């Protein structure tokens, strides 16, 4: 049996309600992320978000990448970069929470940051920061010199 059908791929992105929010430091980014993390679950389960910015560091959009268990969540770099390309992002910032309240990056946090940095450099998109949040505080990889 011979098939002559090839699946068509359709991707779309719209700027409905495009934000004029400027992100110039980690505090600005955290303010945006906190609006999207579920405050009832930030101390309960881990979530990972990516924030996409244009060349002027204005917000293009935010996307939840994953939500999982108490001590980990799966992060697929391809999904993060796919969205960055789709919305023509010039840079991105990622964030996840630590339900434990510990702001120290794990070995896995450092590894995913390096993987994201490598992938974003390949696409000429700048990884500006990776933030770890708790319900009361945050840690910025950029502020700590890890990026």
């Amino acid at each position: 049996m011979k098939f002559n059908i090839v699946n068509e791929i359709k991707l779309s992105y719209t700027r409905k309600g495009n934000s004029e929010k400027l992100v110039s430091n980690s505090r600005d980014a955290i303010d945006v992320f906190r609006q999207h993390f579920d405050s009832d679950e930030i101390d309960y389960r881990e979530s990972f978000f990516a924030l996409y910015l244009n060349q002027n560091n204005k917000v293009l959009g935010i996307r939840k990448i994953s939500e999982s268990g108490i001590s980990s969540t799966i992060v697929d770099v391809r999904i993060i970069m796919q969205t960055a390309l789709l919305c023509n992002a010039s840079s991105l910032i990622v964030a996840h929470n630590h339900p434990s309240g510990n702001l120290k990056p794990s070995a896995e946090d450092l590894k995913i940051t390096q993987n994201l940095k490598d992938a974003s450099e390949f696409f000429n998109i700048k990884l500006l920061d990776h933030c770890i949040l708790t319900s009361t505080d945050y840690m910025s990889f950029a502020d700590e010199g890890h990026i």
Side-chain angles (χ1 to χ4, degrees):
M1 183 178 281
K2 187 175 177 183
F3 292 96
N4 292 324
I5 299 171
V6 176
N7 293 328
E8 181 180 357
I9 298 170
K10 292 183 180 183
L11 300 173
S12 67
Y13 168 76
T14 60
R15 291 192 182 181
K16 295 177 185 171
N18 189 25
S19 173
E20 291 297 313
K21 172 74 175 164
L22 177 67
V23 176
S24 55
N25 55 46
S26 62
R27 171 51 60 195
D28 293 343
I30 292 299
D31 289 345
V32 175
F33 282 121
R34 287 211 184 273
Q35 294 174 28
H36 294 274
F37 273 85
D38 185 337
S39 61
D40 292 333
E41 293 197 357
I42 199 164
D43 291 328
Y44 171 65
R45 68 182 343 182
E46 207 167 293
S47 298
F48 196 102
F49 286 84
L51 181 65
Y52 301 95
L53 308 170
N54 69 14
Q55 68 274 11
N56 297 319
N57 286 353
K58 289 190 177 178
V59 174
L60 292 170
I62 190 168
R63 181 171 189 195
K64 182 187 283 184
I65 302 303
S66 63
E67 183 175 74
S68 198
I70 295 168
S71 61
S72 68
T73 192
I74 295 171
V75 178
D76 191 331
V77 172
R78 296 169 297 181
I79 299 296
I80 295 168
M81 298 314 300
Q82 177 188 50
T83 306
L85 293 170
L86 186 60
C87 70
N88 295 322
S90 295
S91 58
L92 65 110
I93 300 170
V94 295
H96 76 284
N97 62 308
H98 278 181
S100 67
N102 181 358
L103 289 172
K104 184 177 182 204
S106 67
E108 188 60 30
D109 294 340
L110 296 171
K111 181 181 174 188
I112 195 66
T113 303
Q114 187 59 53
N115 289 347
L116 277 167
K117 188 173 181 183
D118 292 345
S120 61
E121 285 175 0
F122 178 81
F123 289 110
N124 199 27
I125 297 169
K126 185 151 179 67
L127 175 63
L128 297 176
D129 207 348
H130 180 172
C131 301
I132 299 174
L133 291 81
T134 66
S135 57
T136 58
D137 206 358
Y138 78 95
M139 188 282 293
S140 158
F141 280 55
D143 292 352
E144 298 292 322
H146 295 299
I147 289 186

